[in-house]
Amino acid sequence: MISLYQPRDSPIHRLHPLTKLTLSFGLIAVALGAPVDWAPLLLYVAVLVPLSYVAQVPGPFLSTSWRLLLPFAISLFLIQSFFFPEGTQILARLGPLTVKAEGVRFAFASTVRILLITGALLLTLLTTHPGLLMTGLVQKGFPPPLAYVVVTTLQIVPQMRERARTIIDAQRARGLETQGSLLVRMRALGPLVGPLVLGALLDVEERTLALEARAFSATSAKTSLYDLRDPAAERIARWAVVLGIAGLIAWRLLEALQ
Amino acid sequence: MIPLHVEQVAYTYPNGVVALQNISFSIAPGESIALIGQNGAGKTTLARQLNGLLQPTQGRVLIGDLDTRQHTVAKLAAQVGYVFQHPEHQIFKRTVRDELAFGPRNLGYPADRATALVTQALRLTELTEFAEDHPHDLLPALRKRVTLASVLAMDTPILVLDEPTTGQDARGIQVIGAIIDNLRAAGRTVITISHDIDFCADHCHRLIVLGGGRVLLDGPAEEVFGRPEVLEQTAVELPQLARLTARLGLPLAWQPEALLDALEARQHQQGQQ
Ligand SMILES: Nc1ncnc2c1ncn2[C@@H]1O[C@H](COP(=O)(O)OP(=O)(O)O)[C@@H](O)[C@H]1O
Ligand SMILES: [Mg+2]
């Protein structure tokens, strides 16, 4: 199976997988809950990037992170800056099209959120052996089917990238022009995205079948290949993060209710 | 109809794997070639050089007079059709017929020519009765034939088929074999990658044997099958009947008729003694 995992000997690699997942979600919660648009960008630069150096994976982290972001960023900026419906503040005109400040701001906020969410999960995946992630979740009482689906869904990203490459090759070989002007590339999207989404759906179906074939619904305790260390400090940190997330959500809800 | 020239081609993947070294050969219109060799020998890498999906790191590939380094894959697609090994990834239209029309439309063929080509490709692949079905409702073996048909409909002078017979039942293999024979009879060039040595022996007159990224043998079937010690290096076994003739101490043959002839000749000889 294609995996993002980069084997290294770093303190981040040695953390319990569940700790890494919890911390990721904590960071995401803080970023999304913060009152300013640029908070996710700040957390990305000030927390995730330094951590990627600690984990000795800055290269794969930065390149994958930006490659994941770029398509989103470009389409968000194009669509939102030109078509943001309630926009009033006009920044520029291009023929019949207008670039609105509200649109640009919205596109920026969405883009940095995606950057942080993918970044946090990416760092977890880069530093966690897929088998360990699965085992870690199950040992902590996650129902195995749920753990399996979580782990494999996280792995869909690199798989999709591989598949996208195959599809692009196959359609170019049938005469589809994929290089050139923006118009040419937009026209190429249908034949590329169609099989990609369909393939992903078929995968999920196969995964469900695989679950049943591997007797995942059996109820006896499953033996595991890996025995994971989980120090008390990490357990406490996880609970603190979970409480923190709950508190944050409660606080934002209360604020909204006033 | 155009020739194809591979001139001193070497290819190294970006991660440093040297997949091809010093490969040279020419293929004339109307040839039916088999590319054989063990897993990892470089067959797919070589085939991908033939339509520009990969460009040589050394040497060059000429399709007619088009150098693959100077043209996009989409442009070269008008000359070389390529049927992928795992083609189910490329299907995206709602009906088999529309899927087949995708290539001819990309190549800018006029509507009536495209329609005629699609109809013909459906007939050749025995898919006419499924023309209005959703490709994903078909059995995998038929779906694979849809992608073969979608490339046939592009009417290219050269065709590359990567493992066309895997997953096909006996009838499917027969249909694909007949298509190769017909293309060749019509003066087209067909290059087949296959593990099925019997299939290659039946439908390809020239075999190019790859091992470790190099050409080990290149010649007509009778010549290549006469060198079992070289074939062994790249884990290729002789066709079943050829192995049988070897065991019987008969001259090399791999077609039933040739084997019968050899047997009769021997009986005749023995009768005379
Ligand atoms: N995308 C790739 N990146 C790096 N190495 C590759 C890639 N594809 C194939 N290879 C390597 O190149 C060699 C030839 O592979 P391939 O052409 O697929 O062989 P075959 O089709 O004969 O099985 C193998 O060593 C294989 O591992
Ligand atoms: Mg191959």
Side-chain angles (χ1 to χ4, degrees):
Chain A
M1 185 184 280
I2 310 150
S3 157
L4 285 170
Y5 176 60
Q6 307 276 326
R8 303 272 192 285
D9 186 24
S10 87
I12 312 263
H13 282 71
R14 286 191 293 268
L15 285 178
H16 191 279
L18 197 56
T19 306
K20 282 181 265 194
L21 264 187
T22 315
L23 290 174
S24 299
F25 285 120
L27 194 68
I28 292 168
V30 171
L32 301 190
V36 288
D37 280 351
W38 42 264
L41 186 60
L42 179 74
L43 290 172
Y44 181 85
V45 174
V47 178
L48 288 178
V49 174
L51 282 179
S52 77
Y53 278 89
V54 176
Q56 300 160 27
V57 292
F61 174 75
L62 289 171
S63 67
T64 313
S65 176
W66 287 99
R67 248 181 301 164
L68 284 174
L69 182 75
L70 222 55
F72 282 110
I74 292 172
S75 46
L76 269 171
F77 272 95
L78 279 179
I79 294 167
Q80 292 302 336
S81 47
F82 287 124
F83 306 114
F84 199 72
E86 295 104 63
T88 48
Q89 247 182 297
I90 290 169
L91 292 181
R93 278 179 202 282
L94 275 172
L97 298 172
T98 52
V99 180
K100 296 170 189 141
E102 289 87 343
V104 173
R105 211 171 296 140
F106 182 84
F108 173 78
S110 315
T111 304
V112 294
R113 279 179 189 169
I114 293 170
L115 177 69
L116 184 91
I117 294 170
T118 51
L121 294 175
L122 182 63
L123 195 58
T124 304
L125 292 183
L126 284 170
T127 58
T128 311
H129 188 283
L132 281 181
L133 188 54
M134 172 83 196
T135 313
L137 293 178
V138 174
Q139 281 181 353
K140 290 298 160 193
F142 265 63
L146 186 62
Y148 187 68
V149 169
V150 168
V151 170
T152 48
T153 308
L154 287 174
Q155 279 171 344
I156 255 183
V157 174
Q159 269 176 24
M160 294 265 276
R161 210 167 48 182
E162 185 78 2
R163 174 151 327 136
R165 207 170 301 146
T166 320
I167 296 170
I168 291 174
D169 281 352
Q171 309 303 39
R172 286 160 77 200
R174 290 198 292 169
L176 182 72
E177 196 57 79
T178 54
Q179 291 149 307
S181 70
L182 188 65
L183 190 68
V184 168
R185 285 184 222 192
M186 300 240 293
R187 240 187 254 141
L189 278 182
L192 300 182
V193 175
L196 195 61
V197 172
L198 228 124
L201 291 179
L202 291 176
D203 268 6
V204 171
E205 198 178 304
E206 255 169 47
R207 209 169 286 151
T208 325
L209 291 177
L211 269 181
E212 282 161 19
R214 292 182 213 171
F216 251 113
S217 29
T219 43
S220 59
K222 307 217 163 35
T223 47
S224 181
L225 287 175
Y226 309 91
D227 210 10
L228 278 171
R229 254 166 30 88
D230 189 18
E234 285 192 34
R235 284 202 302 271
I236 295 168
R238 281 203 303 268
W239 279 113
V241 171
V242 170
L243 288 178
I245 296 177
L248 195 70
I249 293 173
W251 174 52
R252 296 295 287 193
L253 274 178
L254 285 176
E255 225 181 27
L257 286 177
Q258 274 174 4
Chain B
M1 299 300 126
I2 55 173
L4 198 149
H5 303 283
V6 175
E7 298 178 352
Q8 282 157 13
V9 163
Y11 184 77
T12 306
Y13 277 101
N15 66 358
V17 175
V18 180
L20 300 175
Q21 299 178 69
N22 195 23
I23 306 245
S24 295
F25 55 81
S26 291
I27 301 178
E31 286 200 89
S32 173
I33 311 264
L35 273 184
I36 57 180
Q38 69 191 128
N39 267 335
K43 304 181 296 292
T44 299
T45 308
L46 177 56
R48 288 175 154 247
Q49 307 280 336
L50 304 181
N51 74 338
L53 278 173
L54 292 176
Q55 296 176 350
T57 35
Q58 269 173 52
R60 61 177 187 167
V61 174
L62 294 177
I63 296 163
D65 48 15
L66 303 178
D67 186 326
T68 57
R69 289 170 305 183
Q70 283 152 16
H71 301 274
T72 62
V73 177
K75 168 101 191 292
L76 296 170
Q79 308 301 327
V80 184
Y82 191 111
V83 183
F84 283 72
Q85 187 174 353
H86 301 290
E88 57 277 12
H89 296 327
Q90 74 194 50
I91 291 177
F92 72 107
K93 293 285 192 187
R94 279 169 211 283
T95 67
V96 170
R97 189 185 297 280
D98 285 347
E99 186 67 33
L100 264 57
F102 178 69
R105 205 166 290 152
N106 282 330
L107 297 181
Y109 292 165
D112 50 345
R113 178 167 176 220
T115 311
L117 285 170
V118 168
T119 308
Q120 188 189 20
L122 284 170
R123 187 169 48 76
L124 287 174
T125 50
E126 300 194 345
L127 288 172
T128 307
E129 59 179 304
F130 306 107
E132 309 309 327
D133 289 3
H134 197 296
H136 280 277
D137 290 339
L138 301 181
L139 290 171
L142 288 180
R143 218 181 299 149
K144 185 155 175 170
R145 263 198 259 160
V146 169
T147 57
L148 169 60
S150 86
V151 173
L152 278 181
M154 293 163 64
D155 199 27
T156 53
I158 302 171
L159 269 106
V160 180
L161 316 178
D162 197 346
E163 298 281 359
T165 55
T166 14
Q168 296 292 318
D169 59 12
R171 179 68 194 148
I173 294 177
Q174 231 171 24
V175 167
I176 294 168
I179 290 172
I180 294 176
D181 296 345
N182 282 333
L183 287 168
R184 192 181 160 207
R188 311 288 190 82
T189 309
V190 189
I191 299 151
T192 309
I193 299 178
S194 182
H195 273 100
D196 184 345
I197 194 74
D198 285 284
F199 182 84
C200 296
D202 286 346
H203 301 286
C204 309
H205 75 289
R206 174 178 163 198
L207 311 184
I208 297 180
V209 183
L210 289 182
R214 296 173 187 275
V215 175
L216 301 182
L217 293 171
D218 174 359
E222 47 275 23
E223 194 180 305
V224 168
F225 292 149
R227 306 283 305 277
E229 76 288 355
V230 181
L231 292 177
E232 213 167 85
Q233 290 172 27
T234 186
V236 172
E237 278 201 326
L238 290 179
Q240 285 192 18
L241 286 184
R243 275 181 280 158
L244 182 63
T245 57
R247 290 280 294 277
L248 292 173
L250 289 169
L252 181 69
W254 58 91
Q255 278 146 338
E257 305 77 39
L259 175 60
L260 285 175
D261 286 350
L263 274 174
E264 262 170 33
R266 178 148 86 177
Q267 270 173 355
H268 188 68
Q269 242 175 15
Q270 284 169 343
Q272 280 180 342
Q273 279 166 6

